[in-house]
Each structure stands twice: as structure tokens, then as C-alpha cells.
Amino acid sequence: MQILVVEDDKRISDFLIKGLEENGFVVTLCKSAEDVLNQYLAIDWDLVIVDIMLPGMDGIQLVQTLRFKKVFTPVLMLSALNTVQDKVSALDSGADDYIVKPFHFDELLSRIKALTRRTHYHQKEPVSSNIEIGDLIIDLNQYKVFQSGTELELSPREFKLLLYLVENIDKTVTRIQILNAVWGITFDNQSNVVDVYISYLRNKIEKNGKKYIHTIKGVGYMFKD
């Protein structure tokens, strides 16, 4: 599950990222509403966690803008403000839930599960040990990839990268999202390691003229069949 955290307070964002990643979520941090609208609007997030007090455009204005632009991703609002009117304003702006700081992390996790449960309830598919896309078969039990019946020699990191792209098929994923999911949030985000490994993977799975990995200029990559 991919979560966008919009928070400019480093202490709080570090706390959120550490806790969410320890619970298996892929987290991307954005420090302002303007950056969300300029860089991350096209991403298909599972959940957006937004602090109300942001530099420039505040969290409520951001949520109003997202809803105006027909972005209906579940939004969980964070705030130190605890009056009824504060909560009403946030929910009326388009937020789906509101949690007051400071909060227990278990409560945050419970609210995340509740918000995303409906979204994913109708998307469940029968569990399979293989993923088949085009002429590729990804064996999840053996961590092997076959193309037209021939096993491809992928490193563990290449396999993880391919699996992440396939799990997000037809979705644009940013370099930061890929870096977080495949290498971890603590990896140097100035590194070009994502582009290097995308090139490695393309050389191995696109030898037959079939193009799977598409570059989305200025954003990241998309896996398409």
C-alpha cells in the first residue's frame, strides 16, 4: 500500500515514516501542498495523510483542491486543533477522517485500515503463486522470472524492482516511490540507482522487442503490457 504523507515538521514526519514502514507501507514524504499539486497529482495513492498546518497552502485548501480536481483518494487529516468546528471544517473540505495530535500510533493504524478497507474490498483476487503478464511469468514461490519459457537471470534487487512495477501495472510510480519500496526510505534519494536498475531490467525483459517499462517524463516510470 502506497501512502503519501504531507508534513513539514521533520520530527513528526520521521515518526510517521518509521512507524508506517515498520508496518509494511510504502511511504513518500512531501513537505508542502504546492509540491503535491506540482509533482504527485498523477500518482494513484492508496491514502494521503495531510497535516493542516503547512507552509503556504494549508491542508484544508489542499484537500479542497484535490476534490475539485476529481482526486478521490482517501484523506486522513492530522491536526493539533481539537475543537468541533476544526473537525467539521476539515471533514467538510473533503477529508475522510481527522485525528488529533498527539495520537497513539495504534489508533493511526486502525484508522488507516478503516479508510482503505472499502477501497480494497472489491479488488481482492484469488491468491496465486504466479503472475503472468505478456510473455513473462513471475514465480513468487521460487523468486524466478520466465520469459517465453526461458528463465531470466535476475538479481534479487532486479526481481524486487520488477515485482514492484508489476504490482503497480498501468500506474505511474516516481523514482522516490521506487527507491522507498525497493531500497528503503533511508537510501540516498540523490542517487541514480533507480535509473541504472531500470536500464538493467529493460535489457533483460525487453530483448524480444516487447516494451514493458515506459518512462513518464519528469515523473518516473510505468509498467504496461
Side-chain angles (χ1 to χ4, degrees):
M1 182 183 296
Q2 299 191 77
I3 296 179
L4 177 65
V5 172
V6 190
E7 173 62 73
D8 67 315
D9 187 312
K10 186 176 186 304
R11 179 180 59 85
I12 296 174
S13 62
D14 286 349
F15 167 72
L16 287 171
I17 290 169
K18 182 176 184 296
L20 291 170
E21 288 197 325
E22 287 177 352
N23 282 274
F25 298 105
V26 177
V27 186
T28 298
L29 175 64
C30 194
K31 296 182 180 180
S32 74
E34 288 80 4
D35 284 347
V36 174
L37 299 176
N38 291 333
Q39 301 181 46
Y40 298 107
L41 198 60
I43 310 302
D44 190 9
W45 305 100
D46 295 293
L47 176 71
V48 180
I49 299 177
V50 181
D51 186 21
I52 285 184
M53 302 302 292
L54 294 170
M57 180 186 291
D58 65 28
I60 288 179
Q61 292 172 317
L62 171 61
V63 175
Q64 289 173 330
T65 304
L66 292 176
R67 299 314 188 215
F68 177 77
K69 292 180 176 292
K70 309 297 184 185
V71 177
F72 298 113
T73 303
V75 173
L76 173 59
M77 193 78 79
L78 304 180
S79 179
L81 305 175
N82 193 24
T83 70
V84 172
Q85 187 54 50
D86 292 323
K87 296 176 182 178
V88 169
S89 296
L91 295 173
D92 284 350
S93 73
D96 298 278
D97 200 358
Y98 186 102
I99 188 168
V100 178
K101 297 185 287 187
F103 50 83
H104 291 287
F105 200 81
D106 285 345
E107 180 185 0
L108 177 68
L109 289 177
S110 181
R111 288 171 182 260
I112 289 173
K113 291 175 184 176
L115 284 173
T116 57
R117 188 179 298 126
R118 291 190 299 271
T119 304
H120 294 280
Y121 182 79
H122 297 294
Q123 297 178 356
K124 293 181 180 178
E125 299 178 355
V127 177
S128 172
S129 61
N130 289 345
I131 298 175
E132 297 187 26
I133 297 179
D135 59 356
L136 296 173
I137 297 177
I138 304 172
D139 188 324
L140 300 177
N141 288 335
Q142 300 185 70
Y143 294 92
K144 293 182 178 180
V145 178
F146 300 87
Q147 186 168 44
S148 301
T150 302
E151 182 180 348
L152 302 179
E153 293 185 8
L154 300 187
S155 70
R157 193 74 69 179
E158 290 168 345
F159 181 90
K160 191 173 182 180
L161 173 59
L162 175 61
L163 185 59
Y164 178 73
L165 293 172
V166 167
E167 287 175 342
N168 291 279
I169 189 168
D170 294 329
K171 294 181 181 179
T172 300
V173 288
T174 67
R175 289 173 176 82
I176 295 297
Q177 285 179 288
I178 296 171
L179 199 61
N180 292 350
V182 180
W183 282 270
I185 190 79
T186 58
F187 201 88
D188 179 12
N189 61 15
Q190 300 300 315
S191 169
N192 69 337
V193 66
V194 170
D195 300 309
V196 171
Y197 270 78
I198 287 288
S199 177
Y200 291 162
L201 200 54
R202 278 173 166 161
N203 288 336
K204 292 184 178 182
I205 70 173
E206 297 182 348
K207 291 184 295 186
N208 297 333
K210 173 78 171 178
K211 186 171 181 60
Y212 286 108
I213 304 172
H214 298 259
T215 300
I216 308 302
K217 189 175 181 180
V219 182
Y221 297 96
M222 179 187 292
F223 194 96
K224 299 178 69 175
D225 179 12

